């Protein structure tokens, strides 16, 4: 089986996507929060973040990438949100590729909206409906070199573009709002030149990033993106993993891996309230609907069988659990339909890992 590289991409590549004869390039939709960690638990040979959602849904969280790096998965970023995250996380091992990444890493670019655009749905291959500012900059730089426009005109267009909300950025709008005769002459030249001269910097960087990731993998150098500093589990990361798991079918391999990861995460935290809240969250949402009520007595009996010596008071005190918190956990466990193997497994994993029974 070919090694797999997972790539999150949308408008940066559209329908024309590079392939590799030796590497399985697993193209996925632009990433939102949770998508990256869901892919990372499958342990691909490498991961590439290019495009991702933001504004209306939570964006890819830094901790998702850091966890992947800590597992030894090389993570590459370019083009759009991938370039932003790579600039932010390069010191932890994320590999940035391309001109856009370099501009953010050097501080030449700082604003997130430099890479923002609106696009169509997957059915039309995420066709761009506006022009990202990084592409406007690259195109105008190329136009200056080709002596189509001068530097002053290019700078004035960039300033106009920066003042416009990103969904409304198009060359047509920018060139249609000019007043002076001199600007109109250059605008006409630029408009005639654009069909063949426009530079899609995001696409160029995206292709370069995929080529770099697949090339590195074929070299089999043994190098990886591990940061070496160790990943720190946090309450927020535990909740993120659980929220991701509960949005997937309970019996799916990825959901089970995420539940297992969250169990390990919560087991390493000291807050009993976090464990209780996370348990309630995963059991509430995992079945995507009403949860059958099962006997609380049956759950309590099963729980007590796992308490060393049956000494519940000592066990609770050693874990800083009060009766209300323990009751909440047991009530949530009782709501599982234990007739299925998946639910039975989840029950005992929860008892062992979230309640930290030894």
């Amino acid at each position: 089986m070919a090694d797999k590289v997972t790539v999150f991409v949308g408008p940066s590549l559209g329908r024309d996507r590079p392939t590799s004869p030796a590497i399985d390039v697993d193209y996925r939709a632009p990433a939102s929060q949770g998508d990256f960690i869901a892919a990372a638990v499958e342990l691909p040979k490498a991961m590439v973040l290019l495009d991702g959602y933001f504004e209306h849904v939570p964006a890819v969280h830094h901790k998702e990438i850091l966890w992947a790096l800590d597992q030894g998965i090389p993570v590459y970023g370019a083009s759009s949100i991938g370039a932003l995250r790579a600039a932010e996380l390069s010191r932890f091992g994320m590999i940035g590729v391309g001109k856009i990444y370099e501009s953010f890493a050097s501080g030449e670019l700082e604003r997130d909206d430099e890479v923002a655009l609106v696009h169509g749905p997957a059915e039309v291959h995420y066709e761009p409906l506006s022009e990202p500012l990084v592409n406007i900059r690259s195109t105008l730089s190329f136009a200056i070199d080709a002596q189509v426009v001068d530097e002053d005109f290019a700078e004035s267009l960039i300033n106009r573009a920066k003042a416009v909300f990103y969904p409304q950025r198009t060359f047509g709008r920018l060139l249609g709002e000019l007043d002076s005769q001199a600007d109109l002459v250059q605008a006409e030249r630029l408009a005639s030149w654009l069909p063949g001269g426009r530079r899609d910097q995001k696409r160029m960087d995206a292709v370069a990033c995929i080529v770099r990731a697949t090339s590195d993998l074929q070299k089999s150098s043994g190098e990886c993106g591990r940061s070496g500093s160790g990943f720190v589990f946090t309450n927020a990361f535990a909740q993120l993993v659980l929220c991701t798991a509960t949005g997937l079918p309970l019996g799916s391999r990825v959901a089970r891996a995420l539940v297992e990861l969250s169990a390990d995460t919560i087991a390493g935290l000291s807050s009993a309230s976090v464990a209780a809240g996370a348990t309630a969250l995963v059991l509430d949402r995992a079945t995507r609907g009403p949860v059958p009520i099962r006997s609380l007595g049956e759950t309590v009996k099963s729980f007590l069988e796992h308490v060393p010596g049956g000494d519940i008071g000592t066990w609770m005190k050693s874990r800083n659990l009060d009766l209300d918190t323990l009751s909440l956990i047991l009530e949530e466990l009782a709501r599982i339909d234990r007739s299925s193997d998946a639910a039975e497994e989840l029950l005992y994993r929860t008892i062992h890992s979230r309640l930290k029974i030894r």
Side-chain angles (χ1 to χ4, degrees), residues 70 227-232:
D70 196 62
S227 66
S229 59
F231 182 82
V232 178

Side-chain angles (χ1 to χ4, degrees), residues 147-207:
Q147 298 183 337
V148 176
V149 298
D150 59 35
E151 292 185 5
D152 289 341
F153 179 80
E155 185 177 357
S156 70
L157 281 190
I158 290 172
N159 289 334
R160 284 176 178 270
K162 289 167 65 176
V164 173
F165 188 35
Y166 76 86
Q168 300 171 343
R169 289 175 183 157
T170 65
F171 276 110
R173 173 167 180 163
L174 294 175
L175 296 179
E177 296 178 344
L178 302 175
D179 299 321
S180 74
Q181 188 62 38
D183 284 350
L184 290 174
V185 171
Q186 293 198 70
E188 185 175 344
R189 286 206 305 266
L190 181 62
S192 298
W193 175 85
L194 277 174
R198 176 182 173 273
R199 302 273 285 186
D200 190 346
Q201 192 65 50
K202 292 183 76 170
R203 175 174 176 78
M204 291 188 288
D205 286 7
V207 171

Side-chain angles (χ1 to χ4, degrees), residues 253-325:
R253 180 166 52 87
V254 173
R256 293 162 79 94
L258 288 169
V259 169
E260 184 175 343
L261 173 60
S262 67
D264 293 340
T265 302
I266 295 167
L269 302 175
S270 59
S271 171
S273 62
V274 171
T279 302
L281 177 65
V282 73
L283 300 182
D284 245 354
R285 299 181 182 175
T287 56
R288 292 186 172 183
V291 182
I293 304 297
R294 300 311 246 186
S295 168
L296 181 59
E298 182 182 358
T299 300
V300 171
K301 179 181 177 181
S302 177
F303 163 70
L304 289 176
E305 288 175 355
H306 293 78
V307 176
D311 188 352
I312 186 66
T314 301
W315 181 87
M316 288 175 60
K317 184 176 181 180
S318 68
R319 286 153 180 80
N320 197 29
L321 278 172
D322 58 33
L323 188 58
D324 287 341
T325 300

Side-chain angles (χ1 to χ4, degrees), residues 241-258:
V241 173
L242 282 166
C243 284
T244 303
T246 56
L248 300 170
L250 181 60
S252 74
R253 180 166 52 87
V254 173
R256 293 162 79 94
L258 288 169

